[in-house]
Amino acid sequence: MSDFSTPKPNRSRVSKVPQTPINIPPSPYMKKLGFGTGVSVFRWDRSPRPDAVRSPWALKKLNKRDMPQVFEQRLQKEAELLKGLKHPNIVGFRACVPGKDGRMALAMESCESSLADRIEDRRNDEAGPFESDTILKVALGVARGLDYLHRQKKLLHGDMKSYNILIKRDFEEIKICDFGVSMPLNADGTVIDPDNFVGTSVWSAPETAGLCDEPVSSKVDIFAFGLVLWEMIALEIPHTDDLEESNMDISITEADLENRIGTRPALPPVDLDDGYNGIMEIFYCCTEEDPNSRPSAEMLVEWLEDLTGENPISMDKSQ
């Protein structure tokens, strides 16, 4: 997760959060799933009730009780947004309350791992690019979630990357998470307050990196979506595949990396069969420098449903 701009205090938002603490176990007794700026995410296996089994929750907690107020405000902003989202490809909201230690905790639907975890595992196993049908399955799930955010909720995710895509079981469910830097969109898809846009640099689109004179819009998520497809083939974080020292003891410099931000990374030298043709076409379209040349999320959904043969989802499907 990246740095973010300090929002103005909103006392009314703070007052909406329930003040009844829940009995959250101490952090060392829960499995740590990830971390971000000022927060950590844990899996909480809740005790079963006498009449029912309780599903596990993912808890995003502030790292310290006395952290600057901005971190709590950001967590509460995410909770308010997530509470209003309901889609099978968006992680489900459960609660946002203080724990016994006084630290705010955002409770969400729990998933086994992030896409970034799966990429790291595959890289460690030296298994090569993900199978084309797996990439298409992830792409369709994410595209459906983005289409819902962009068209129905008029919301830019703003930090689309493999770390913010959650996976259940054997890629059976795909969920977008982490709405801490999301921003509202105008009717034309542009960001209402572009000066406060924040993303993660290596997934940045050209217009947010100052490489083209176009407004920040929903197409920022589309560019990052294209880089997620690249991640599943290259098994690396974009633009950092040669950060490690080479045989000549030469490594990429910080200036070199800065020059790559907002550009389309080169594909690694791997052999891809014809099953990847559609994926490659989507990757190139999504990572066009001109955002007007990139497809919308709605177009991606139609394209991917055609490639996979999947029928449109029913919005009545519960999380």
Side-chain angles (χ1 to χ4, degrees):
M1 296 170 62
S2 57
D3 294 335
F4 54 93
S5 301
T6 302
K8 295 179 180 179
N10 187 336
R11 301 299 180 184
S12 62
R13 178 179 293 163
V14 174
S15 64
K16 293 179 183 178
V17 177
Q19 296 303 308
T20 302
I22 55 179
N23 191 22
I24 299 173
S27 299
Y29 293 94
M30 296 185 289
K31 179 183 178 181
K32 190 170 185 177
L33 300 176
F35 63 91
T37 306
V39 297
S40 295
V41 182
F42 301 89
R43 177 186 167 99
W44 179 22
D45 293 312
R46 300 181 298 154
S47 300
R49 298 198 312 257
D51 59 338
V53 175
R54 290 183 171 182
S55 63
W57 282 359
L59 290 174
K60 180 180 285 190
K61 296 177 61 179
L62 298 177
N63 288 335
K64 298 178 181 178
R65 183 174 182 176
D66 57 348
M67 293 185 69
Q69 190 179 30
V70 62
F71 291 99
E72 182 172 328
Q73 290 170 346
R74 184 184 183 190
L75 191 62
Q76 292 183 17
K77 172 196 170 185
E78 181 177 3
E80 289 295 322
L81 282 175
L82 195 57
K83 191 186 300 183
L85 303 178
K86 187 174 178 60
H87 187 276
N89 297 113
I90 303 292
V91 70
F93 172 84
R94 297 296 181 259
C96 185
V97 293
K100 290 289 187 180
D101 60 1
R103 284 186 282 169
M104 294 305 304
L106 168 58
M108 301 166 288
E109 172 186 16
S110 179
C111 298
E112 281 81 2
S113 59
S114 71
L115 178 59
D117 295 329
R118 302 292 180 101
I119 290 172
E120 182 178 0
D121 289 344
R122 195 168 181 90
R123 182 174 66 248
N124 291 339
D125 292 341
E126 299 183 350
F130 282 87
E131 291 78 9
S132 57
D133 59 345
T134 300
I135 297 177
L136 289 170
K137 183 182 294 187
V138 172
L140 179 55
V142 175
R144 283 171 168 169
L146 289 178
D147 182 39
Y148 168 76
L149 293 175
H150 294 171
R151 286 201 299 144
Q152 295 193 36
K153 292 301 181 178
K154 299 298 180 186
L155 191 67
L156 176 79
H157 182 275
D159 200 16
M160 182 53 50
K161 55 188 178 183
S162 56
Y163 292 89
N164 291 337
I165 299 170
L166 302 179
I167 309 296
K168 281 193 174 184
R169 297 176 292 279
D170 187 21
F171 292 91
E172 293 173 27
E173 295 183 53
I174 315 298
K175 308 272 185 176
I176 298 173
C177 70
D178 199 342
F179 295 84
V181 297
S182 296
M183 304 182 72
L185 296 170
N186 292 303
D188 63 357
T190 57
V191 169
I192 291 176
D193 189 11
D195 290 340
N196 285 328
F197 172 80
V198 176
T200 303
S201 61
V202 293
W203 284 271
S204 293
E207 58 271 31
T208 64
L211 300 183
C212 71
D213 189 21
E214 293 290 340
V216 176
S217 69
S218 59
K219 297 298 183 71
V220 167
D221 282 344
I222 301 302
F223 188 90
F225 170 91
L227 296 190
V228 170
L229 303 186
W230 182 92
E231 288 184 82
M232 296 189 73
I233 293 172
L235 307 183
E236 299 283 352
I237 293 174
H239 308 301
T240 64
D241 47 300
D242 55 358
L243 274 175
E244 296 181 0
E245 293 186 356
S246 68
N247 293 332
M248 298 177 64
D249 294 327
I250 299 175
S251 61
I252 182 175
T253 66
E254 186 174 343
D256 291 332
L257 179 59
E258 186 67 25
N259 289 334
R260 296 182 181 190
I261 302 305
T263 67
R264 176 192 290 150
L267 288 166
V270 294
D271 293 327
L272 301 174
D273 60 38
D274 290 346
Y276 291 85
N277 289 348
I279 296 168
M280 290 297 94
E281 191 174 358
I282 292 173
F283 164 69
Y284 281 108
C285 288
C286 290
T287 54
E288 288 283 355
E289 180 176 325
D290 182 359
N292 299 304
S293 298
R294 299 173 209 151
S296 66
E298 181 183 15
M299 294 171 62
L300 285 173
V301 171
E302 294 176 357
W303 194 348
L304 287 159
E305 286 177 346
D306 184 59
L307 285 172
T308 60
E310 287 204 26
N311 295 322
I313 62 171
S314 170
M315 285 308 298
D316 294 331
K317 184 178 178 181
S318 61
Q319 292 175 327

